[in-house]
Amino acid sequence: MEKRVAIVTGASRGIGLEIAKSLGRQGRHVVCVARDQAKLEAAVAAIRAEGGSAEARTCDMGDGAAIEAMVEAVADAHKRLDILVNCAGITKDGLMMRMSNEDFDAVINTNLRGVFIASRTALRPMMRGKWGRIVNIGSVSGIVGNAGQANYAAAKAGVIGLTKTIAKEMGAKAITANVVAPGFIQTDMTDVLPDIVKDGVKNITALKRFGQPNEIAAAVAFLTSEEGGYVTGQVITVDGGMTMA
Ligand code: NAP
């Protein structure tokens, strides 16, 4: 069988980079997407150095027309699209009473609207191929809320509703859709937080440590695998036991 083609957004660094590398090791052709061309080229080189197959495509996940054009170009070039991992995301934290409309809209635009448009565009080639895997990277903030993250928590909660709806609409087409919801993972996004916040998070995490990007990639690898095909509409929380249902 030809390699399955996977788009990973946010693949230039952090969690998305580890997901892209892991899918490359699984034998997928990985399309690495983000805004920073140089970092994407480095991601592609890292995947190829491990014997994998990859290419870079710049795209702003806050620009709906650009997202549609990127996904369609990938599907046209490869005559297939099998896997979409929406990992690109931003934060613009601030307490509710001080949060501007602009900061609310910016986070919703990239973290929720971008996921909707990428998923909608990817579904057509997945339906043609009668197989598909969509994994959206959520957050525990979208499940339990988080002070200072009204915009981010709303976007990530929206991603859960969106993903469950895709799962219900597309199940009959052998397309699955799931959310992986990380807790506190060591990346650029969390490095900037003050020590007092980091210590607080460690304290409420059962495993008493931060997670690593490869620990999120492992969950994505399972959900996008051939064997992961009977899991759909789920939220897989990977948070070291910070939250428990
Ligand atoms: P990160 O280190 O800040 O990386 C963010 C990635 O998203 C980068 O590749 C960035 O690439 C890309 N990106 C941001 N805005 C973009 C845009 N408009 N268009 C295209 N790409 C864009 O963050 P991370 O920690 O790896 O987070 C990855 C995902 O996990 C996010 O969805 C985040 O919300 C989620 N998450 C993270 C944590 C955590 O503790 N780290 C916890 C829960 C959920 P460019 O800058 O090159 O565009």
Side-chain angles (χ1 to χ4, degrees):
M1 192 174 76
E2 280 174 43
K3 276 180 188 282
R4 290 202 186 277
V5 173
I7 292 177
V8 181
T9 75
S12 59
R13 53 197 162 88
I15 294 171
L17 174 58
E18 285 309 311
I19 292 170
K21 284 158 70 176
S22 144
L23 292 184
R25 277 180 225 119
Q26 272 189 309
R28 311 315 194 181
H29 174 76
V30 188
V31 182
C32 298
V33 174
R35 292 164 301 182
D36 186 324
Q37 174 81 33
K39 289 206 173 107
L40 285 176
E41 296 295 350
V44 167
I47 292 168
R48 289 184 183 152
E50 293 184 327
S53 163
E55 67 185 78
R57 287 193 189 245
T58 52
C59 180
D60 179 353
M61 296 305 291
D63 178 342
I67 297 168
E68 281 187 7
M70 180 275 293
V71 175
E72 281 169 3
V74 170
D76 284 353
H78 296 280
K79 304 279 172 275
R80 65 187 302 157
L81 176 58
D82 304 284
I83 297 166
L84 170 67
V85 182
N86 282 302
C87 185
I90 55 168
T91 51
K92 285 188 184 289
D93 295 354
L95 289 173
M96 180 73 192
M97 294 302 288
R98 287 194 225 126
M99 186 174 287
S100 66
N101 294 349
E102 289 72 23
D103 282 356
F104 184 83
D105 289 348
V107 171
I108 295 289
N109 191 44
T110 298
N111 294 12
L112 178 57
R113 189 169 182 271
V115 173
F116 163 69
I117 294 172
S119 301
R120 187 186 59 199
T121 315
L123 284 172
R124 198 173 299 280
M126 286 179 182
M127 286 167 73
R128 272 200 303 270
K130 299 186 171 54
W131 195 95
R133 300 275 190 268
I134 294 179
V135 179
N136 294 325
I137 305 302
S139 168
V140 291
S141 293
I143 302 169
V144 297
N146 194 20
Q149 290 198 311
N151 47 5
Y152 184 83
K156 295 297 190 182
V159 163
I160 293 175
L162 167 67
T163 307
K164 289 182 174 178
T165 301
I166 296 170
K168 288 191 173 177
E169 290 190 11
M170 290 293 147
K173 311 278 184 200
I175 297 168
T176 68
N178 293 284
V179 172
V180 172
F184 191 107
I185 310 300
Q186 227 169 347
T187 67
D188 292 351
M189 187 177 273
T190 47
D191 281 349
V192 295
L193 295 171
D195 283 344
I196 187 164
V197 173
K198 291 181 182 169
D199 291 345
V201 168
K202 252 187 215 169
N203 229 358
I204 58 164
T205 300
L207 290 173
K208 302 295 175 205
R209 67 171 178 85
F210 302 142
Q212 295 302 319
N214 67 308
E215 295 176 304
I216 304 303
V220 175
F222 167 66
L223 290 170
T224 56
S225 68
E226 307 299 320
E227 298 79 5
Y230 203 55
V231 180
T232 196
Q234 302 304 304
V235 181
I236 312 288
T237 303
V238 184
D239 70 349
M242 187 199 297
T243 63
M244 298 187 198

